[in-house]
Amino acid sequence: MTTATDRTPARKAKKEDKAAKKAALAAEIAGKKIFTAATADRHELYQLSVQNVEAEIDFVDEAFEEIRGRKATSLREDFCGTANTSCEWVRRRDTNTAVSLDIDQPTLDWGMEHNVAPLTPDQQARVTLHNRNVLEPGDATGTDIILAMNFSYWLFQQRSQMIGYFKSVHASLADDGVFFLDHYGGSESQEETTDKRPIEGCDEHGPFTYIWDQHEYNPITGEMECRIHFKFEDKTRMKDAFVYHWRLWGLREIQDCLEEAGFSKVSVYWEGDELDEDGDETGEGNGEFTATTEGTADPAFVCYIAAQK
């Protein structure tokens, strides 16, 4: 029989162990400057958890060459945020130029400091950031590639607004230009749910958790509110780091709108399946996107769209 006296040493040891772990974590935070809610920057966290600009540029660069038979040189990044993708584009080739459009000046300022400034002088000269509405592109025209990624264009919630934006893009492209978008869909896209994903490989700051919060969804109007939160090793959280008010557009709806806006051909690029050692599909994407007219009824999918002028 175990008495209260017998349990006391175990409780004490457990308490001391917990205190030791807490002290060790505090020392790690002080020594490594790992991410905490008080010290982390939301834009850096976004780039580490949401964006993969290398893979994105790989896709649009290869797809454009496959479609047009030549390498693209000019790119416009709409809703650019920190212009992370534009900076990756100008790093690829000495002939590449990029123009980045966004209406939030503080975010552009952050991108200038953290993404543009580290580029070489030559690369810096080939990327331009504009605090400008994408519906008013100004001189950002005659471009080989225009991008609208991370579902940013979903802020246009009326069909007339969306087609108006697509017409503006069509007019801004070069004669053989291509407009690339990404799209999210599947039955899970209509759920009010939260998804947590650990982000590893941040050696300088340590891992953290990315939280995608599909906070509200109205099936009658298609309106949705999505939020991004972050959780850190010290148990602190950065809540509502980003909040989006979108319309959940159907993939076929977007294709129809692009065609109505004047694009000559609209193609959907679907991700292939990862295979196990026996050659069987695992149900996980392999990162390779191919133009197709048939897709699987995945509960959650992300695909690309290419609209040719």
Side-chain angles (χ1 to χ4, degrees), residues 42-273:
R42 68 188 184 114
H43 295 303
E44 182 177 10
L45 297 172
Y46 182 90
Q47 291 186 170
L48 290 169
S49 58
V50 177
Q51 291 187 295
N52 184 342
V53 295
E54 294 85 358
E56 187 173 293
I57 291 302
D58 282 346
F59 168 74
V60 299
D61 201 19
E62 292 169 7
F64 183 91
E65 184 174 16
E66 179 182 323
I67 292 169
R68 295 307 190 195
R70 68 175 180 89
K71 285 287 189 183
T73 59
S74 57
L75 176 145
R76 191 181 93 192
E77 183 186 4
D78 286 358
F79 318 98
C80 71
T82 63
N84 194 19
T85 302
S86 294
C87 290
E88 176 63 21
W89 176 255
V90 300
R91 281 193 293 265
R92 287 301 174 96
R93 289 186 294 276
D94 292 343
T95 55
N96 284 3
T97 61
V99 175
S100 311
L101 305 183
D102 202 280
I103 61 172
D104 190 71
Q105 187 61 54
T107 302
L108 291 172
D109 292 340
W110 192 96
M112 283 293 296
E113 179 181 354
H114 295 87
N115 292 331
V116 178
L119 298 174
T120 67
D122 173 67
Q123 292 167 346
Q124 291 180 32
R126 291 186 280 109
V127 58
T128 305
L129 278 58
H130 289 299
N131 180 208
R132 187 183 297 166
N133 191 316
V134 296
L135 297 175
E136 302 170 355
D139 57 353
T141 59
T143 313
D144 291 333
I145 292 173
I146 294 180
L147 303 181
M149 296 296 185
N150 301 314
F151 329 123
S152 50
Y153 60 100
W154 285 3
L155 64 85
F156 298 119
Q157 297 189 19
Q158 303 301 319
R159 181 180 176 86
S160 59
Q161 292 176 324
M162 186 64 79
I163 292 176
Y165 169 57
F166 289 166
K167 286 182 176 180
S168 173
V169 170
H170 185 275
S172 298
L173 283 166
D175 290 342
D176 64 345
V178 181
F179 180 32
F180 289 97
L181 315 86
D182 59 2
H183 190 89
Y184 165 52
S187 58
E188 290 182 4
S189 67
Q190 301 180 39
E191 297 178 2
E192 294 179 349
T193 185
T194 300
D195 180 60
K196 299 179 180 180
R197 179 164 52 90
I199 306 299
E200 307 288 346
C202 309
D203 295 335
E204 181 182 354
H205 297 290
F208 63 94
T209 300
Y210 161 83
I211 303 171
W212 174 250
D213 178 6
Q214 291 179 185
H215 198 69
E216 293 182 3
Y217 174 68
N218 183 342
I220 294 177
T221 64
E223 292 174 282
M224 66 189 307
E225 179 182 303
C226 297
R227 304 179 181 185
I228 293 176
H229 320 291
F230 300 103
K231 182 180 177 182
F232 308 98
E233 284 193 298
D234 68 343
K235 309 302 181 184
T236 60
R237 291 172 177 260
M238 185 183 293
K239 190 175 180 180
D240 297 340
F242 298 92
V243 179
Y244 306 99
H245 298 279
W246 288 336
R247 170 177 168 177
L248 180 62
W249 287 86
L251 181 54
R252 181 55 190 265
E253 286 182 289
I254 291 299
Q255 294 175 76
D256 289 345
C257 288
L258 286 164
E259 291 172 353
E260 188 171 333
F263 288 91
S264 63
K265 184 176 181 180
V266 179
S267 303
V268 173
Y269 285 73
W270 201 260
E271 187 175 14
D273 284 304

